[in-house]
C-alpha cells in the first residue's frame, strides 16, 4: 500500500485548474467529424456552459461571442470514448461470479494516467473490473475530477462477463439466472406466508388474539446480491458485455443464454489467428454491438490477412473499437491503428463512430458524449490533421467546454 | 453440381411453414406455432452407396430428413426444397467411427459444454472420414459448426483389469463376480418364490458390484486392456465361467488364442500394425502378428480397428494416426482380413461396442445421415474424402478447406465425374475407373484379390 | 548355427540350375526404361536375373524349373537408405566428429527387425550410425535376408553418415549449426587433403602419408566409391547438405531423411545432381509464419516433383517408423500429392535409392545381370493391403508364406 500513498503526495494534475476558456465561445474549423459518421466542412461549433449548443456548416456567430478560428489543417472531432479500459484504475479483484462488485470502488482520481489520457484525446473511459468469470460492473468516468463522484458519468454501465467453451463459464451465466429464479420463488413464498398471516390477522376481531397474530410490516427475505444482479439484467436496468475468443465460445454463449432475454453486447478478444469469422453472420443477425481491437488478424494456418472489424461492419454489426494495448501509449496509437484497418477496408465513417459515439452508446452515455451534437457535452479534440492519419497530433483537448490540454488562441 | 436451396439457416419460411399445416401433417401448437421449423431435406444423389451392413447400390441416392436417413434407392421422390449434392461417380460410405480419439473436439470432457466445433483437428478428422468418435467416456459426432446434437452417449467402455501382473486384483475381481453370480441366483429364486408368497422380501444387493451385475445381465460389456496370451486366456475363461462378453483392447497375441476368445464371445480392439516390444520372437509362436485381425475374425471375434495414435498428428510423420484410420484397416486386410470386415472394423463394429449402432455405423433408413463421399475405394491410400455429411448436413468439403484442395483437385467441369471418366480426360480419373473395377469383391466375395492394381499401367 | 554352404541346390542359385518365375505382372522399375511387363516371365540363373519379358516373347530355356506365381506380381527388392535397426549401439557421442567409426561390428544379421523388413520386401538397407553426433561414422549397405555377415554385406563403407539436423546439438556445450558446419568443413578438408596425398603417393609423386584411420573414409569419398548420407531434414539443413557437400566439396551426396519443406531446395538439388530420398517426416503442415503454405498440407515428394525433380526416393529412418513400413512412405508421398501415374512410387522404393547409393549394378530393378532379389506380392507395393508372399535373395528363396509364418 506504500506506492499509492506516495502517489497521493504528488501534485495531482487532475486537480489543477484548467486554462481559461470563456463560458460561451465558438469554434470555426475547416473540417469537423461529428462522431455520428457525418463530416461537416466549414463547420462552426457553439459551446456554452460546457455543452454543445449548435453545430453546422458556415453558421453565423453572433457578434461578441469569442470565436476560435482554427488553422486550415486542423480537424475537430469528439473526444474519444474508450469503452474497455483499466488505465487509471489499479489493483486486481478476485475472479468468480460476483456481479455485485463495482469498478467504481476502485477509482483513484489522483492517478496520473488521467492527465495523459486527456492529452491523448480520450475524454470518456469505461473502466471494467478486473478478473475472470463475472467479476462485476463497469463505471464510466471523465478523466478529471477531484473525487470518484466528480469523475463518474455513470455507474453500473455494464456487467463484465467472460465466456468460454467450458461448463463453468456457461453455468456462471445460466446459473445466475437460476439463482434469480429461486430467490424470486423464495421471496414469493415468503410473501405468500406473510399475506396469509396478514389475512388471518385482518379477519381476527378479538383484539387480544389479534395482538398475537400481528405479522408486523412485510419483511422481504434477505437480498441476494447475485440474484439481484441477474434480475437487473432481466429488467433491463443492467446490461452485459460478454467477452469471447472463438466462434465456438460464441455458440456456447448462445447456448448458455438459452431463452433468457436481456441486453448484451459482445467483445471479441483478438488473437493472432482467430476463427470468430465463422459466426459473423450470426452475430450480425443478433444486432449486438461488437467490441474489437483495430487489428489485422490472420486466417488460421495462413498468412492471409483478415480485417475482422471490417468484416463485422460489412455484415451490419455496430462496431466499437478499443485500443490494441490498454496503456497510454496504446491510447496514443489508437487513431493510427484505426487508420490502418480503414486503409485495408473498414468504412471510414464507421471507424470514426466506432471510437466515439458507438462506445458511448455501449456505455449507456450516448445521449451525453461521443458526438458533437446540440445538447451534448462539449468534449472536443482539435487535431493537427486527419484523425486517422499517422502523425496527426492532438493540438488541444476540451472537456465539457474547458481546455484541459494544449493551447487555444483567439 | 452443388445446388443449394435458400433455406440454409432454417429461418422462418412462410411456404415451408404453411405447407405442412395445410396438409394437416403438423398439428398447430397453441403458443409457438410460428416456430415450428420446416423439415430439412438433404440428398446425396447418384453415388455408389456402400451401405456397410447391406448391399452396394450403384448410382443410388440417399435422402435424409431432419438429419436422419429417410430413404435409400433409385428414383426417389425428392422434395422441392431439398438440398441436393450430386455425387455421381463418387462413392458413399457410412461415416467412420473411431473407437478412441484424442483432441478432436477441442474440449476434454463434457463435450456438450466444451466442444470447439470449429477446431482444426475436427476438420482434419472429418477429412479422414471420421464422423463419430469416442472421447473419454463420451461418444460424440463431429458436427462441425454446431454444439448441439453431438453427444450420442456417455459412460461407455467401462474398464476392468484382470492380469497376471496383479494376482490380488484378479482374486478380488473373481470374488466380485462370484458374489454377483450368487446374488443373481438368489434373485432368480426369489422371483420364483414370490409368486407363491407375495410378502417375500426382495434380496438385498448390498455388497454386490452394480457394474458387474450389468455385465452379467448383458446390459454392458467391460473392456480389458490385455495383450499376452496368458492374460487373454484368463480373461476368456473368466468370461466363460461367469457368462459375460469381454471387449479386449490391444489383444496382440489374440491370434494365438483366437478360438478361446471366440468361444467367450469376445470382441477385440486392434491396431493391425501393433508390434510387441517384449519377448518378441518371430520363429516361435508369440508376439504380434499382422494376421491377428484376420485370425480373430475367423474365430468369431468381432474386430474393431484403431491406429496406434488416436489423435491427429501434425509432426510430419503420416500414416500412423487417426487421420489414417483407413490405412490401419488396410494393414488388417494385408494380414488376411476381408475388405468388408476391415470396413466394418472402422464403422459398425466400433459403433456396436460403443452402443451407438442404432444411430451410426452404416447407411440404413432411420439412422443418422452421417456419410462420407470419397473419390475412390475407401481403403486405397490415395483416396480422399471429398465431402463429409453429419446429421444430413455437409460439414466438410475438401475443396472448401485449404488443407488438401490442391492435391488432385476436384474437377471443376460441369460434367459429372463419371462422364469425364468416359471422356478419358485425366489420369486420375482412370484410376477411379480402375478401382471401380476391382470393387466387385464388395458385392460378391470376401477377399479383394484384385485390389490395389490400378495406380499405374504399363 | 548350421553352416550354410554357398551354392545350395535350389534352382536359380549358383550351381542350382535355372529358374523361371511366371507372374501376372512384373514391375521392372528401370530408371528410365521399362516399367511393367504383363504376363511376365523372370529368368534367374546363378543368383542373377537373366532376363525379364512377356511370356509370349521370352522363351524359357530347357532344364529351367518353372514356378507359376499365379495372380501375383513380381518386383525387385526394396532399398532403404536410412535405417538404424540392423544392430544396436550406434550413437557414439564422445566426440562430435567420428569419421573413423564403423557400424559394421554392431551388425546383427537376421535380427527380428530385418526379418520383418524382409517380409515387407525390403531386401537392401543402408545401416548407418545415429544422428547423436555431427559426423556419426561409416554405415554399411547390406541385404536383410542373409544371416551371415559376409553374405549380407553389399558394401562397406556404405556411406559416411553426417547429421546436420538438430540432434547433435542436444548433447550439450551449446553447439549450434554454425559450429557443426565448421566441424564438417574442417574434417572434410583434412580428409580430402589426406586422400590427395595418398593418390600422389600411389602415383609415385609424393611421400607416403602417415596412416590415419579417422580419415581413410575420405579416400573412398574422393574416389566416389561411397557417398555421404545425411541426416538432413528441413529447408536450411538440406540447403547446407547440397551446397557444402555436393557443390563445395564435390562429394557424392544425396538428401537422406529429407523432410518437411526440404523441397524448397529443388533448384539447387537439380543443379548439383543431388537426389532426394525422403521420409519419414514427409509432410509439412501449415505452420505460419515459419512455413507459409497458405494453409495447405505439402508433401515433400509432391514439392520436389512439382519443381521438376525425378530422382525421388523414400526411407524410413527405422526405428522412427518401422522398417517394414518403407512402402507406406511411398504411399504417403503419393497420397500427399506426388504423381504416381508412371510408377514413381515403385522407383522411389527401388531403383532410385539403388542408383544414388551406387549399387544399381546389383539391385534396384529387374534387369539382366543384377542380383535376383525378387519380391512376389499381391499387387501395388505401396498399398498397405498388398501382401508379400515370397522373397528371393540372389535367387535363393528366403521367405515364403507357404512355409513361413507370415511376418508382415
Amino acid at each position: 500500500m506504500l506506492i499509492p500513498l506516495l502517489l497521493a503526495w504528488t501534485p495531482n494534475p487532475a486537480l489543477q485548474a484548467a486554462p481559461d476558456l470563456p463560458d460561451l465561445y465558438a469554434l470555426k474549423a475547416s473540417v469537423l467529424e461529428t462522431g455520428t459518421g457525418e463530416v461537416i466542412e466549414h463547420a462552426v461549433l457553439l459551446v456554452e456552459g460546457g455543452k454543445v449548443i449548435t453545430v453546422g456548416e458556415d453558421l453565423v456567430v453572433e457578434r461578441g461571442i469569442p470565436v476560435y478560428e482554427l488553422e486550415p489543417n486542423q480537424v475537430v472531432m469528439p473526444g474519444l470514448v474508450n469503452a474497455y479500459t483499466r488505465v487509471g484504475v489499479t489493483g486486481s479483484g478476485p475472479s468468480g461470479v460476483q456481479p455485485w462488485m463495482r469498478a467504481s470502488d476502485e477509482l483513484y482520481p489522483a492517478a496520473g494516467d488521467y492527465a495523459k489520457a486527456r492529452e491523448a484525446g480520450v475524454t470518456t473511459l469505461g473502466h471494467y473490473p478486473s478478473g475472470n468469470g463475472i467479476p462485476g460492473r463497469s463505471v464510466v468516468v471523465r478523466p478529471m475530477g477531484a473525487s470518484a463522484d466528480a469523475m463518474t458519468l455513470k455507474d453500473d454501465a455494464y456487467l463484465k462477463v467472460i465466456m468460454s467453451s467450458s461448463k463453468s463459464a456457461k453455468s456462471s451465466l445460466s446459473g445466475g439466472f437460476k439463482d434469480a429464479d429461486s430467490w424470486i420463488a423464495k421471496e414469493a413464498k415468503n410473501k405468500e406466508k406473510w399475506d396469509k398471516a396478514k389475512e388471518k390477522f385482518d379477519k381476527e376481531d378479538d383484539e387480544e388474539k389479534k395482538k398475537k397474530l400481528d405479522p408486523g410490516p412485510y419483511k422481504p427475505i434477505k437480498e441476494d446480491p447475485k440474484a439481484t444482479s441477474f434480475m437487473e439484467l432481466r429488467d433491463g436496468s443492467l446490461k452485459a458485455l460478454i467477452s469471447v475468443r472463438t466462434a465456438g465460445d460464441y455458440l456456447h454463449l448462445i447456448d448458455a443464454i438459452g431463452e433468457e432475454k436481456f441486453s448484451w453486447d459482445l467483445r471479441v478478444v483478438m488473437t493472432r489467428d482467430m476463427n470468430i469469422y465463422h459466426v459473423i453472420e450470426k452475430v450480425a443477425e443478433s444486432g449486438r454491438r461488437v467490441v474489437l481491437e483495430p487489428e489485422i488478424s490472420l486466417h488460421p494456418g495462413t498468412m492471409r490477412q483478415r480485417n475482422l472489424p471490417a468484416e463485422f461492419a460489412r455484415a451490419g454489426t455496430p462496431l466499437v473499437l478499443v485500443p490494441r494495448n490498454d496503456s497510454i501509449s496504446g491510447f496514443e496509437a489508437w487513431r493510427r491503428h484505426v487508420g490502418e484497418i480503414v486503409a485495408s477496408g473498414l468504412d471510414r465513417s464507421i471507424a470514426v463512430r466506432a471510437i466515439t459515439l458507438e462506445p458511448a452508446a455501449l456505455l449507456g452515455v450516448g445521449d451525453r458524449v461521443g458526438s458533437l451534437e446540440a445538447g451534448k457535452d462539449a468534449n472536443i479534440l482539435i487535431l493537427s490533421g486527419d484523425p486517422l492519419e499517422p502523425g496527426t497530433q492532438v493540438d488541444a483537448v476540451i472537456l465539457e467546454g474547458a481546455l484541459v490540454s494544449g493551447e487555444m488562441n483567439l | 453440381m452443388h445446388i443449394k436451396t435458400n433455406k440454409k439457416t432454417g429461418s422462418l419460411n412462410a411456404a415451408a411453414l404453411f405447407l405442412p399445416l395445410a396438409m394437416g401433417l403438423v398439428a398447430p401448437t397453441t403458443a409457438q406455432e410460428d416456430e415450428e421449423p420446416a423439415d430439412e431435406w438433404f440428398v446425396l444423389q447418384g453415388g455408389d452407396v456402400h451401405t456397410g451392413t447391406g448391399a452396394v447400390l450403384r448410382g443410388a441416392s440417399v435422402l435424409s430428413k431432419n438429419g436422419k436417413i429417410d430413404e435409400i434407392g433409385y428414383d426417389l421422390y425428392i422434395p422441392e426444397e431439398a438440398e441436393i449434392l450430386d455425387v455421381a461417380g463418387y462413392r458413399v460410405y457410412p461415416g467412420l467411427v473411431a473407437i478412441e480419439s484424442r483432441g478432436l473436439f477441442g474440449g476434454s470432457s463434457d463435450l456438450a459444454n466444451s466442444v470447439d466445433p470449429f477446431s482444426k483437428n475436427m476438420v482434419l478428422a472429418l477429412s479422414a472420414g471420421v464422423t463419430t468418435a469416442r472421447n473419454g467416456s463420451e461418444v460424440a459426432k463431429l458436427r462441425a459448426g454446431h454444439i448441439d446434437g453431438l453427444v450420442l452417449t456417455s459412460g461407455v467402455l467401462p474398464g476392468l483389469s484382470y492380469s497376471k501382473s496383479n494376482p490380488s486384483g484378479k482374486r478380488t475381481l473373481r470374488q466380485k463376480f462370484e458374489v454377483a453370480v450368487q446374488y443373481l441366483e438368489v434373485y432368480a429364486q426369489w422371483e420364483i418364490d414370490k409368486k407363491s408368497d407375495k410378502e417375500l422380501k426382495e434380496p438385498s444387493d448390498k455388497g454386490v458390484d452394480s457394474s458387474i451385475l450389468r455385465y452379467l445381465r448383458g446390459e454392458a460389456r467391460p473392456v480389458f486392456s490385455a495383450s499376452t496370451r496368458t492374460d487373454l486366456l484368463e480373461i476368456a475363461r473368466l468370461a466363460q465361467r461367469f457368462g459375460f462378453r469381454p471387449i479386449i483392447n490391444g489383444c496382440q497375441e489374440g491370434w494365438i488364442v483366437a478360438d478361446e476368445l471366440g468361444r467367450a464371445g469376445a470382441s477385440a480392439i486392434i491396431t493391425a500394425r501393433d508390434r510387441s516390444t517384449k519377448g518378441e520372437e518371430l520363429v516361435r509362436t508369440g508376439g504380434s502378428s499382422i494376421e491377428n485381425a484376420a485370425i480373430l475374425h475367423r474365430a468369431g471375434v468381432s474386430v474393431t480397428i484403431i491406429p496406434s495414435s488416436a489423435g491427429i498428428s501434425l509432426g510430419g510423420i503420416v500414416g500412423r494416426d487417426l487421420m489414417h484410420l483407413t490405412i490401419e484397416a488396410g494393414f488388417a486386410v494385408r494380414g488376411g482380413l476381408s475388405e468388408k470386415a476391415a470396413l466394418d472394423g472402422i464403422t459398425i463394429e466400433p459403433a456396436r461396442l460403443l452402443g451407438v449402432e442404432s444411430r451410426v455405423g452404416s447407411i440404413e433408413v432411420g439412422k443418422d445421415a452421417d456419410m462420407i463421399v470419397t473419390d475412390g475405394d475407401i481403403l486405397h491410400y490415395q483416396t480422399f474424402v471429398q465431402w463429409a455429411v453429419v446429421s444430413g448436413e455437409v460439414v466438410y468439403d475438401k475443396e472448401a478447406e485449404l488443407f488438401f484442395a490442391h492435391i488432385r483437385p476436384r474437377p471443376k467441369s460441369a460434367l459429372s465425374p463419371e462422364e469425364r471418366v468416359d471422356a478419358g480426360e485425366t489420369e486420375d480419373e482412370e484410376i477411379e475407373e480402375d478401382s471401380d473395377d476391382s470393387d466387385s469383391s464388395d458385392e460378391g466375395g470376401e477377399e479383394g484379390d484384385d485390389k490395389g492394381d490400378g495406380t499405374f499401367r504399363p | 548355427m548350421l553352416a550354410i554352404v554357398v551354392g545350395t541346390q535350389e534352382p536359380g542359385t549358383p550351381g542350382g540350375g535355372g529358374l523361371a518365375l511366371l507372374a501376372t505382372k512384373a514391375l521392372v522399375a528401370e530408371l528410365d526404361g521399362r516399367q511393367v511387363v504383363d504376363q511376365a516371365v523372370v529368368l534367374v540363373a546363378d543368383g542373377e536375373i537373366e532376363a525379364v519379358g512377356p511370356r509370349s516373347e521370352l522363351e524359357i530355356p530347357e532344364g529351367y524349373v518353372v514356378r507359376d506365381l499365379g495372380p501375383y506380381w513380381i518386383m525387385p527388392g526394396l532399398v532403404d537408405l536410412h535405417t538404424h535397426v540392423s544392430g544396436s549401439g550406434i550413437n557414439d557421442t564422445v566426440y562430435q566428429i567420428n569419421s573413423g567409426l564403423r557400424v559394421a561390428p554392431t551388425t546383427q544379421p537376421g535380427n527380428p527387425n530385418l526379418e520383418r523388413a524382409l517380409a515387407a520386401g525390403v531386401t537392401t538397407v543402408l545401416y548407418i550410425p545415429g544422428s547423436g553426433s555431427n559426423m556419426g561414422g561409416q554405415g554399411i549397405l547390406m541385404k536383410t535376408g542373409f544371416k551371415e555377415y559376409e553374405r549380407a554385406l553389399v558394401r562397406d563403407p556404405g556411406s559416411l553418415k553426417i547429421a546436420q539436423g538438430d540432434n547433435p546439438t542436444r548433447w550439450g556445450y551449446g553447439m549450434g549449426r554454425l559450429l557443426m558446419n565448421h566441424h564438417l568443413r574442417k574434417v572434410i578438408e583434412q580428409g580430402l587433403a589426406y586422400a590427395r596425398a595418398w593418390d600422389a603417393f600411389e602415383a609415385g609423386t609424393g611421400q607416403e602419408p602417415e596412416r590415419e584411420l579417422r580419415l581413410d573414409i575420405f579416400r573412398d569419398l574422393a574416389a566416389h566409391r561411397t557417398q555421404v548420407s545425411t541426416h538432413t531434414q528441413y529447408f536450411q539443413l538440406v540447403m547446407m547438405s547440397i551446397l557444402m557437400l555436393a557443390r563445395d566439396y564435390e562429394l557424392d551426396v544425396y538428401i537422406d531423411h529429407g523432410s518437411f519443406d526440404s523441397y524448397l531446395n529443388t533448384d539447387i538439388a537439380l543443379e548439383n545432381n543431388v537426389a532426394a530420398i525422403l521420409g519419414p517426416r514427409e509432410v509439412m503442415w501449415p505452420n505460419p509464419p515459419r512455413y507459409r503454405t497458405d494453409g495447405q498440407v505439402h508433401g515433400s515428394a509432391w514439392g520436389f516433383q512439382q519443381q521438376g525433380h525425378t530422382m525421388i526416393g523414400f526411407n524410413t529412418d527405422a526405428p522412427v517408423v518401422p522398417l517394414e513400413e518403407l512402402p507406406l512412405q511411398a504411399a504417403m508421398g503419393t497420397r500427399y500429392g506426388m504423381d504416381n501415374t508412371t510408377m514413381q512410387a515403385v522407383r522411389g522404393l527401388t531403383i532410385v535409392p539403388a542408383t544414388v547409393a551406387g549399387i544399381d549394378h546389383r539391385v534396384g530393378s529387374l534387369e539382366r545381370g543384377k542380383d535376383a532379389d525378387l519380391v512376389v506380392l499381391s499387387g501395388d507395393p505401396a498399398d498397405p493391403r498388398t501382401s508379400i508372399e515370397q522373397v528371393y535373395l540372389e535367387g535363393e528363396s528366403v521367405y515364403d508364406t507357404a512355409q513361413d509364418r507370415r511376418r508382415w
Side-chain angles (χ1 to χ4, degrees), chain A residues 119-194:
Chain A
E119 283 163 22
V122 180
T123 54
T124 309
L125 298 93
H127 286 313
Y128 62 88
S130 72
N132 261 317
I134 305 182
R137 304 153 180 229
S138 72
V139 60
V140 187
V141 301
R142 63 171 81 71
M144 182 122 112
S147 69
D149 282 349
M151 294 180 76
T152 302
L153 281 182
K154 182 179 184 343
D155 205 355
D156 302 335
Y158 57 76
L159 180 65
K160 174 181 161 188
V161 177
I162 305 290
M163 179 53 61
S164 66
S165 302
S166 76
K167 186 167 191 168
S168 63
K170 289 173 78 174
S171 57
S172 294
L173 187 61
S174 54
F177 288 110
K178 276 189 200 134
D179 284 1
D181 287 337
S182 63
W183 190 89
I184 290 166
K186 267 190 217 156
E187 166 60 17
K189 234 182 206 165
N190 184 54
K191 181 76 166 36
E192 198 184 310
K193 204 172 145 196
W194 184 85

Side-chain angles (χ1 to χ4, degrees), chain B residues 105-156:
Chain B
F105 296 94
S108 48
S109 60
D110 186 21
L111 295 181
N113 283 313
S114 67
V115 65
D116 178 357
F118 303 102
S119 84
K120 176 166 80 176
N121 281 1
M122 188 179 288
V123 175
L124 289 172
L126 285 167
S127 83
V130 177
T131 58
T132 299
R134 176 171 75 88
N135 183 81
S137 67
E138 290 180 294
V139 182
K141 308 213 299 177
L142 280 71
R143 256 198 109 195
H146 300 269
I147 61 167
D148 59 329
L150 128 138
V151 177
L152 290 175
T153 183
S154 61
V156 297

Side-chain angles (χ1 to χ4, degrees), chain B residues 394-433:
Chain B
V394 174
V395 291
Y396 170 80
D397 176 350
K398 175 171 173 268
E399 300 296 294
E401 298 287 344
L402 294 170
F403 299 114
F404 308 117
H406 63 292
I407 302 174
R408 294 181 285 280
R410 198 184 297 155
K412 296 258 186 287
S413 155
L415 288 172
S416 74
E418 202 165 47
E419 287 167 308
R420 236 169 298 112
V421 170
D422 293 340
E425 272 185 21
T426 69
E427 296 277 24
D428 279 354
E429 293 304 331
E430 276 177 42
I431 291 162
E432 298 303 329
E433 196 180 32

Side-chain angles (χ1 to χ4, degrees), chain B residues 121 309 311-318 320-324, chain C residues 285:
Chain B
N121 281 1
S309 159
I312 300 292
S313 162
L314 305 182
I317 293 179
V318 283
R320 300 181 65 80
D321 63 347
L322 193 59
M323 277 192 68
H324 301 85
Chain C
W285 295 90

